[in-house]
Amino acid sequence: MALLACSLLPTLASAAKPGDPLCKAHEEAVFNCFTGKKTASLCASPTEAAPTALTYRYGTSGTVENEFAATPENGRFFSGTVSPAAPRAWVSQVWFDRGNFRYLMTECVGGDCPFHAGLAVIKGEKIAMNASCKRPPGVRLPAFSRELVKFGSKPDDSKSSTPLLRIEAVDNLVYELYKSADK
C-alpha cells in the first residue's frame, strides 16, 4: 500500500490547480483568468517571430467547455481594442465572435478600476455573462502579455505582434462591463 501511495505522489504533485492556465505543453499563456470555478486562457504557440496560433480555452483542467483557435490555415482571428472606462482607467480587450455571441477577455489598467480583469459574453447589445477574475494562491493576476499585444491609450496607439490579433475601434459595452461597485 505504501508503494502505491508513493507511486501516486508525483502524479498528484503535478496535477493542475484551479486557476492554472489551460494551455498545452507547447503553448504559452498570454492571458489567464480564474473566475472562482472555471478558467479562461488565451494560449499562443510561440515562435521566434509572431505566434503561429492563438487558442482560447474555457473550463477546468478536466473539461474544456469552449475552445476557439485562430491560425493562418483556418482563417480565424481574434480582435482587440482599448477604451477609457473609469476616471484615469483604460480597458484592454481581446475577443472572438462565434455566431451571435462575442467572447471577451478584459484587463483594466490605471485609476479607478472596479476590478482588474474579467470575462464577458455579449449577445447583440446585451451582456449575457460578466465575471471578474480572481487570484488563486500562487497565480499572478491576469494581464495580456506584452509579447502578444502592446495596448496604448487608444486603438491607433496599440500594436499586435501577430496578424492573428487585429486591432479595431469597437465599443464592447465597456462602460456597462466596468460599472463601479458603488453605482
Side-chain angles (χ1 to χ4, degrees):
M1 191 64 126
L3 185 59
L4 178 61
C6 288
S7 67
L8 289 176
L9 198 54
T11 304
L12 295 174
S14 65
K17 298 182 299 283
D20 281 351
L22 301 177
C23 299
K24 298 187 177 183
H26 69 281
E27 297 173 324
E28 175 183 318
V30 292
F31 179 86
N32 195 61
C33 175
F34 177 60
T35 63
K37 293 186 180 185
K38 298 189 181 176
T39 301
S41 300
L42 182 58
C43 308
S45 295
T47 64
E48 288 184 25
T52 56
L54 289 175
T55 305
Y56 170 92
R57 292 186 186 92
Y58 175 80
T60 64
S61 61
T63 306
V64 172
E65 299 172 22
N66 188 2
E67 184 172 73
F68 179 87
T71 66
E73 295 77 29
N74 70 18
R76 294 180 180 167
F77 60 92
F78 286 82
S79 297
T81 196
V82 62
S83 304
R88 303 174 308 281
W90 298 93
V91 176
S92 304
Q93 306 159 58
V94 173
W95 71 89
F96 67 93
D97 294 325
R98 179 177 281 148
N100 295 329
F101 292 92
R102 174 161 290 173
Y103 297 87
L104 186 66
M105 297 163 276
T106 65
E107 175 187 22
C108 190
V109 178
D112 301 327
C113 297
F115 53 94
H116 176 72
L119 299 174
V121 178
I122 299 171
K123 182 177 182 186
E125 292 297 315
K126 302 266 187 215
I127 298 170
M129 187 273 287
N130 188 20
S132 63
C133 300
K134 313 287 185 244
R135 183 177 181 198
V139 176
R140 70 181 184 94
L141 285 172
F144 292 109
S145 166
R146 302 318 180 238
E147 300 298 317
L148 174 67
V149 59
K150 292 179 180 157
F151 285 110
S153 61
K154 56 187 177 187
D156 291 344
D157 297 335
S158 302
K159 183 163 177 41
S160 170
S161 67
T162 174
L164 300 173
L165 174 59
R166 300 176 182 175
I167 304 297
E168 303 179 30
V170 175
D171 175 16
N172 283 318
L173 307 173
V174 73
Y175 288 107
E176 291 295 312
L177 294 172
Y178 274 84
K179 282 184 180 176
S180 295
D182 58 351
K183 287 186 180 178

